Amino acid sequence: MNKREKLYRIFNYGFSAWMLLLVVISLFSHDNPFLNPTTSKFLLISVCAGAVLLGAAYLWHKKGQAPKREWRLLGVLFGIYFLLQLFVAVKLQVLPIPTWDYPIVYCEAANRVLSGIPPTDYFANFPNNTPYYWLLCGYFTVLHWFGVQDFMMPLLVLNSLCIDAALLMLYKMAKRVVGAKWAVPVLLLGFFSPALLLYVPIAYTDTLSLPFVCGAAYVWLLAREANQNENTQKAIWLGLLAATLTAMGAALKMSVAVLAIAFLLDALIFWRGKATLKCIVTFVLCFAVLLGGINKTAQKAMPVYDTAGIPHTHWVMMGLHGDGSYYNDDYELTLSYDTYEERAAFTKQEIVRRVKEMGPIGLLAHFKEKLAFMISDGTYYAPAKIDRCAKKPCVWHRFVVPNGQYTGFLCYLADALQICLLAFCAVGSWRAAKTGENTLTVYRMAWFGLMLFLLLWENRSRYLVNFIPLFLLCAGEGLCVSTVRKEK
């Protein structure tokens, strides 16, 4: 075993331990904003959910087989799922009342297309949503050419298709990693993911970036294989395509850049051959130029604002309060300073003050609180978003919205499933460390990197949504190897 393989082995053992730590934190420091379970009850439900998953996997091992008519099966499964998505989109639709970022940007784009109203200074404070704004403007303009005046349902259809595209890429990746037979159960994990279905009515960057994340991940698998087969030219071109998709995703959702870092580390550790340096350089240049170009072009097309922007250090400062979620008092505190320079200076000083005030032990306790809030919620904060400005409250809201009559069933099942998936991720990573099978290690690095980022940034489980398919891929492989040796 060479030094590079040892690095992967060490990481996989560490990642397995990290996943088990998250299981323990979620079980004994559970912090779901919509549920307050007793530890014993939650533990029992989680054990039952794990037993069901393992039992289903064992039955599939004994009775299941690779689909003979793959595309017919996929067509039926995705057709049923798309109809379910449309049902959720209609029944749980929210009104575009500008109370948070998604409806604010929606209204800004709709006003521009329908009435020619220029964007407001909202984008001076939140320039990260500028590419999303122009994406909506382009889509709404095309719809308007065909006489469409209400853009909400077409947007939710687009959102559903983005989720479906990500799930199709999940299936394609699973097929290469765990084989054709086990790719179907991994896909079913995606179909049964509560968050991916509940975020259909929320067409924000969390879900619209999904095809770029999963597309880049799938292309990277192909690039790795090309490098292993010493097909340097193909590896370079596939690496450039992965960089392109990652940059486009990062323009919509900044956290997608974590995936580019994981790709870069994977290339440094895993790739072989004299052209490896060339592959890495072209990847970095493509990613940096494209992401910078998209953001600069999007910003240049906006009006010149007199409003001072909000420095990135503001979100680091906010992440040092409580569980790290959005805290309006911190927001108002930053805005109380007039210039960007004053805001930057204040937030930096406040970060230092809060860290010193916590001390090493307090900071560790704070990180534990943030982790519990980040990974305990298997709905990924969807109920809170659906509850905001519901278009027409109906019986289905009782099963979804916070404090709904039956919402507890959803939260218990979603959180128990989340616990099981974390455990299966630990199993898969441990098995990879033992066997030296490192195909999925790059995605484990991405998932780990995203969690580290949220430990330093504003924190919320919703910020994990666009990485859910990669999480399911790692968990699905762990479920597979928990039942039987990997089949190809």
Side-chain angles (χ1 to χ4, degrees):
M1 180 183 296
N2 59 40
K3 292 182 179 179
R4 293 180 175 185
E5 291 172 336
K6 285 181 180 178
L7 285 174
Y8 268 174
R9 170 169 285 190
I10 293 170
F11 173 80
N12 279 319
Y13 278 132
F15 184 81
S16 181
W18 176 258
M19 290 292 102
L20 290 177
L21 174 64
L22 296 185
V23 169
V24 172
I25 289 175
S26 188
L27 279 174
F28 298 100
S29 300
H30 199 72
D31 189 14
N32 184 321
F34 319 119
L35 186 69
N36 187 24
T38 61
T39 300
S40 57
K41 185 176 182 180
F42 184 54
L43 178 60
L44 176 62
I45 294 174
S46 300
V47 169
C48 290
V52 169
L53 286 173
L54 284 172
Y58 181 77
L59 287 175
W60 183 257
H61 166 56
K62 291 296 184 181
K63 304 293 184 181
Q65 57 183 350
K68 295 180 180 178
R69 298 178 178 178
E70 180 183 37
W71 288 106
R72 180 177 294 184
L73 174 64
L74 292 177
V76 171
L77 290 176
F78 275 98
I80 295 172
Y81 188 66
F82 184 68
L83 291 176
L84 183 59
Q85 288 176 311
L86 292 181
F87 177 82
V88 172
V90 171
K91 294 298 182 180
L92 301 181
Q93 184 178 336
V94 297
L95 291 170
I97 297 176
T99 56
W100 68 288
D101 300 278
Y102 160 56
I104 288 175
V105 181
Y106 173 91
C107 290
E108 294 269 1
N111 288 338
R112 182 184 184 90
V113 172
L114 295 175
S115 306
I117 300 175
T120 65
D121 61 1
Y122 161 86
F123 295 99
N125 288 331
F126 303 98
N128 57 294
N129 276 327
T130 303
Y132 173 53
Y133 168 78
W134 288 117
L135 174 65
L136 292 190
C137 285
Y139 183 52
F140 293 170
T141 298
V142 173
L143 292 172
H144 194 48
W145 287 343
F146 293 94
V148 177
Q149 299 288 325
D150 185 353
F151 304 122
M152 181 56 73
M153 275 309 299
L155 179 59
L156 299 187
V157 170
L158 175 65
N159 195 39
S160 299
L161 292 176
C162 285
I163 295 172
D164 294 343
L167 290 176
L168 180 59
M169 291 298 103
L170 170 65
Y171 174 80
K172 299 282 284 183
M173 286 188 286
K175 190 176 177 181
R176 304 188 83 88
V177 173
V178 294
K181 175 180 175 178
W182 285 95
V184 175
V186 174
L187 176 62
L188 291 178
L189 285 178
F191 285 150
F192 286 109
S193 171
L196 292 181
L197 186 60
L198 291 178
Y199 269 98
V200 166
I202 312 296
Y204 192 43
T205 54
D206 307 293
T207 46
L208 292 180
S209 62
L210 271 168
F212 300 107
V213 173
C214 294
Y218 177 62
V219 171
W220 191 257
L221 273 185
L222 301 180
R224 287 177 113 252
E225 292 177 7
N227 176 262
Q228 279 184 305
N229 296 330
E230 299 183 356
N231 191 338
T232 303
Q233 198 68 24
K234 183 178 180 181
I236 291 176
W237 284 111
L238 287 171
L240 287 174
L241 179 56
T244 300
L245 292 170
T246 309
M248 294 172 69
L252 282 174
K253 194 76 175 178
M254 181 181 64
S255 57
V256 178
V258 171
L259 191 60
I261 298 173
F263 289 162
L264 180 59
L265 290 174
D266 189 54
L268 287 168
I269 297 171
F270 173 83
W271 286 37
R272 302 289 186 270
K274 296 179 180 179
T276 298
L277 181 59
K278 183 178 179 181
C279 294
I280 293 173
V281 171
T282 54
F283 176 88
V284 172
L285 287 176
C286 179
F287 175 79
V289 170
L290 186 57
L291 178 58
I294 292 173
N295 285 329
K296 187 172 182 179
T297 302
Q299 295 295 338
K300 194 173 181 179
M302 303 297 282
V304 177
Y305 299 110
D306 295 329
T307 305
I310 298 178
H312 289 145
T313 46
H314 162 78
W315 283 275
V316 177
M317 179 191 77
M318 188 182 291
L320 287 168
H321 175 272
D323 55 24
S325 60
Y326 178 81
Y327 185 53
N328 193 65
D329 286 0
D330 273 352
Y331 179 67
E332 296 296 335
L333 196 58
T334 300
L335 292 185
S336 66
Y337 292 85
D338 295 328
T339 68
Y340 181 90
E341 290 73 21
E342 289 175 336
R343 293 174 180 179
F346 162 72
T347 52
K348 289 175 183 176
Q349 292 172 2
E350 186 65 9
I351 289 168
V352 173
R353 187 193 69 79
R354 292 185 185 187
V355 170
K356 285 184 177 179
E357 187 178 87
M358 289 181 186
I361 302 300
L363 193 60
L364 286 176
H366 172 67
F367 286 155
K368 175 191 169 185
E369 186 178 358
K370 291 187 76 171
L371 282 172
F373 186 69
M374 184 195 307
I375 51 89
S376 293
D377 178 13
T379 65
Y380 293 78
Y381 211 66
K385 300 305 181 185
I386 291 174
D387 193 36
R388 293 188 180 186
C389 307
K391 182 177 182 180
K392 187 178 181 182
C394 64
V395 65
W396 299 106
H397 284 81
R398 300 180 189 176
F399 294 87
V400 177
V401 300
N403 301 316
Q405 187 175 359
Y406 307 110
T407 303
F409 291 104
L410 167 69
C411 291
Y412 268 117
L413 291 175
D415 293 3
L417 177 62
Q418 179 83 348
I419 284 285
C420 296
L421 294 176
L422 290 169
F424 289 133
C425 278
V427 172
S429 186
W430 185 271
R431 181 67 175 272
K434 298 285 286 184
T435 62
E437 174 54 67
N438 289 309
T439 305
L440 290 184
T441 303
V442 59
Y443 306 129
R444 296 186 187 104
M445 289 192 293
W447 181 252
F448 179 68
L450 179 60
M451 287 186 286
L452 288 184
F453 170 72
L454 294 180
L455 281 179
L456 300 176
W457 201 255
E458 180 194 352
N459 176 45
R460 187 163 291 169
S461 56
R462 178 174 67 82
Y463 298 153
L464 299 171
V465 167
N466 55 354
F467 277 60
I468 286 178
L470 301 186
F471 174 52
L472 294 177
L473 181 62
C474 296
E477 190 216 24
L479 177 61
C480 171
V481 300
S482 298
T483 310
V484 63
R485 288 185 179 276
K486 186 171 59 177
E487 299 176 7
K488 288 277 183 97

